[in-house]
C-alpha cells in the first residue's frame, strides 16, 4: 500500500483539496461527502469546474459527461463526523491543503 497523507476539511466551508498540482473536490450525495479527483479521464480537464445535469457531471473542456454515482464509487474514501471530513490522499503530491474552491454549478 502506498503512503498516504491525512487531510481534514470543514464541510462545507472547504469543498476541495489542493495537493501539489492536483485538485480533489467534494460532492455530497445521499448524505455522504465524496472526495473526487478532478482530473478528467479524457484529457485531464478540471471536473470541479463542470456542471451537473441529470445526475451526470459535464467536463468543461470537451463536454464528456460522467455518471455522478460512478464518480462517487471511485472517490477517495472519507470519514465524516458532523462538519468534519477526513480523507487519506496519496502522499505523492506532498502537502494536501483544504480550500474553498469555485466548483460546478448544480
Ligand atoms: S478533458 Fe474532459 S472531456 Fe475532454
Amino acid at each position: 500500500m502506498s503512503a498516504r497523507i491525512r487531510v481534514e476539511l470543514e464541510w462545507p466551508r472547504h469543498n476541495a483539496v489542493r495537493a501539489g498540482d492536483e485538485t480533489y473536490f467534494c460532492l455530497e450525495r445521499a448524505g455522504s461527502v465524496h472526495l473526487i479527483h478532478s482530473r478528467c479521464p479524457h484529457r485531464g480537464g478540471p471536473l470541479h469546474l463542470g456542471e451537473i445535469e441529470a445526475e451526470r457531471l459535464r467536463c468543461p473542456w470537451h463536454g464528456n459527461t460522467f455518471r455522478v454515482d460512478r464518480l462517487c464509487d471511485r472517490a477517495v474514501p472519507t470519514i465524516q463526523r458532523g462538519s468534519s471530513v477526513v480523507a487519506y490522499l496519496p502522499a505523492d503530491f506532498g502537502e494536501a491543503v483544504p480550500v474553498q474552491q469555485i466548483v460546478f454549478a448544480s
Side-chain angles (χ1 to χ4, degrees), residues 40 42-45 59 61-64:
C40 177
H42 178 227
R43 292 199 177 166
C59 177
W61 279 11
H62 307 103
N64 287 342

Side-chain angles (χ1 to χ4, degrees), residues 29 34 36 67-77:
R29 188 165 192 272
H34 303 270
I36 297 171
R67 283 178 46 173
V68 169
D69 59 343
R70 291 196 178 151
L71 291 172
C72 290
D73 287 347
R74 293 191 302 249
V76 174

Side-chain angles (χ1 to χ4, degrees), residues 22-36:
E22 304 298 323
T23 299
Y24 291 80
F25 64 97
C26 293
L27 205 159
E28 187 171 20
R29 188 165 192 272
S32 297
V33 176
H34 303 270
L35 193 59
I36 297 171

